[in-house]
Amino acid sequence: MPTLIAPDGTELAYRVLGEGAGTPVVCLPGGPMRDSVYLGDLGGLPAHRRLIVADQRGAGLSATPEDPASYRCDRLVGDVEVLREHLGLDRMDLLAHSAAANLAVRYAEQYPHRVGRLVLITPGTSAVGLEVNGDDRREVVRLRRDEPWFAAASAAFDAIDAGEATAADWVTIAPFLYGRWDETAQAHRAGEETQWNAAAAEVFGSEGAFDPGATRAASAALDTQVLVLAGEFDLASPPHVLARFAALFPRAEFVVQPGAGHYPWLDDADRFVSTTVRFLG
């Protein structure tokens, strides 16, 4: 994997997928602080656009920084900017999944003139102060009541919502994050155990990471096209919450992918790629 050096000396790795001409799409993995391999090839997106897939510091093949506080979301903005400079891009199309959407909107807040188009896939919304509560998630839970795994997963969700979760409950609710709980989804979920930097994830959203008022104001002034893509069945980022998120941007398109969970490229790769490619142009 190619690498670059952040201003604090941390070595940052990234993958290049696809050989298409034109401006690449810079991709930020979620988690937070998860090895970018979980993104795979985003359903075949590199056949249409070249992807630059970053590993955040302390995750994947990027080095561990000397200062653990540099895992904080607002401080990771500098790593995104140094990657843009390294790639020699004046403006870049930016795709972020899940928790990394917080990083993407904080980057756009500080560097709006460096963002071409912004693609937010089943995004986290903490950076703009939109929190997802148990009632929000329960709306999505009800949609899966005919699934064979529903009873056990629903009971685990109730325990988590009541603050009485065991480690097993967090495993049991996994089907709620996928459109189909098939072998592909189960293998994807199993890989998660070795892909996360849990200590870094705790720092990512710690005190000072977010300034919702400033980020909302910057989002309202952002003069770039934004795609907010939700999954119909996504427990982590329910569509009705993401509709409110999309409304914060003046030039946003909001799309709900039918039958999809938190990883829509796994649930229907063709639909995911066609939606994303159409938006990116």
Side-chain angles (χ1 to χ4, degrees):
M1 290 177 68
T3 62
L4 66 147
I5 304 299
D8 68 351
T10 303
E11 186 176 40
L12 305 175
Y14 61 93
R15 293 182 290 141
V16 180
L17 303 181
E19 298 178 355
T23 305
V25 179
V26 174
C27 303
L28 305 178
M33 315 310 288
R34 187 173 176 183
D35 188 326
S36 66
V37 297
Y38 85 92
L39 294 173
D41 69 350
L42 286 170
L45 191 56
H48 304 271
R49 292 287 297 270
R50 185 159 50 100
L51 306 184
I52 306 296
V53 184
D55 267 342
Q56 293 165 356
R57 57 177 54 215
L61 295 180
S62 287
T64 300
E66 291 186 7
D67 180 9
S70 66
Y71 291 133
R72 210 172 68 179
C73 181
D74 59 318
R75 296 186 61 178
L76 293 174
V77 167
D79 289 349
V80 180
E81 175 60 4
V82 78
L83 175 58
R84 181 198 65 79
E85 293 175 343
H86 172 78
L87 296 171
L89 300 175
D90 181 58
R91 292 167 66 89
M92 61 182 173
D93 291 338
L94 194 59
L95 182 152
H97 174 243
S98 189
N102 297 296
L103 174 56
V105 296
R106 295 238 64 183
Y107 178 81
E109 174 187 345
Q110 294 190 39
Y111 298 98
H113 57 295
R114 298 302 188 187
V115 180
R117 298 194 179 201
L118 183 59
V119 181
L120 304 175
I121 307 299
T122 56
T125 57
S126 296
V128 296
L130 278 176
E131 299 300 332
V132 183
N133 60 38
D135 290 338
D136 293 324
R137 301 190 200 279
R138 200 170 295 280
E139 286 191 29
V140 177
V141 166
R142 295 189 188 104
L143 298 176
R144 314 303 297 278
R145 58 184 175 274
D146 293 331
E147 300 280 2
W149 44 261
F150 177 79
S154 179
F157 172 80
D158 289 340
I160 292 168
D161 192 38
E164 301 170 353
T166 65
D169 289 324
W170 289 103
V171 176
T172 304
I173 65 163
F176 282 124
L177 295 176
Y178 296 88
R180 298 184 305 276
W181 188 235
D182 55 14
E183 290 184 1
T184 298
Q186 292 171 39
H188 188 266
R189 172 61 181 85
E192 181 179 320
E193 301 300 329
T194 59
Q195 293 168 354
W196 232 310
N197 184 334
E202 290 184 6
V203 178
F204 179 85
S206 60
E207 185 176 358
F210 305 129
D211 184 348
T215 305
R216 280 176 173 254
S219 298
L222 187 64
D223 186 26
T224 192
Q225 294 186 52
V226 179
L227 172 64
V228 176
L229 177 62
E232 179 187 11
F233 296 149
D234 186 8
L235 183 69
S237 301
H240 62 281
V241 176
L242 296 190
R244 299 201 300 270
F245 183 38
L248 300 177
F249 301 94
R251 302 179 64 193
E253 177 182 353
F254 176 60
V255 175
V256 178
Q257 182 170 314
H262 197 57
Y263 309 94
W265 62 91
L266 292 179
D267 298 314
D268 188 338
D270 289 344
R271 185 184 289 268
F272 172 79
V273 170
S274 64
T275 299
T276 305
V277 170
R278 174 191 53 77
F279 173 78
L280 289 170

